[in-house]
Amino acid sequence: MGFILYLIIGGIIGWLAGLILGKDVPGGIIGNIIAGIIGAWLGGLIFGDFGPIVADIAIIPALIGAIVLILIVSFVMKSMRKK
């Protein structure tokens, strides 16, 4: 049950990061989940664990990490389309 909750929270964080930036995450719901989980990991490394924690994910660093990840992915995708 914890793994499913982890996926749901990761998807919500990825979706929120996409809404904040106004950019779509490539891959739809799977992309949101991946962006949220990798963003949580990235945010945890950079900012540590602070703020509310749900399903072993610190929400604020995870959201910041997902935003950074989406910015990087959108920049890479944009540069690949130019070639």
Side-chain angles (χ1 to χ4, degrees), residues 1 3-5 18-19 32 37 40 42 46 48-49 64-65 67 69:
M1 188 64 157
F3 180 72
I4 294 172
L5 189 58
L19 281 179
N32 283 340
I37 291 172
L42 185 65
I46 296 172
D49 291 336
I64 295 169
I67 289 171
L69 180 70

Side-chain angles (χ1 to χ4, degrees), residues 15-49:
W15 173 70
L16 282 174
L19 281 179
I20 290 170
L21 290 175
K23 298 179 186 259
D24 290 332
V25 178
I29 188 70
I30 303 297
N32 283 340
I33 292 171
I34 292 171
I37 291 172
I38 294 175
W41 174 75
L42 185 65
L45 285 178
I46 296 172
F47 303 109
D49 291 336

Side-chain angles (χ1 to χ4, degrees), residues 61-80:
L63 187 59
I64 295 169
I67 289 171
V68 169
L69 180 70
I70 291 172
L71 285 173
I72 291 170
V73 168
S74 65
F75 176 74
V76 168
M77 296 295 283
K78 186 177 179 182
S79 67
M80 287 177 59

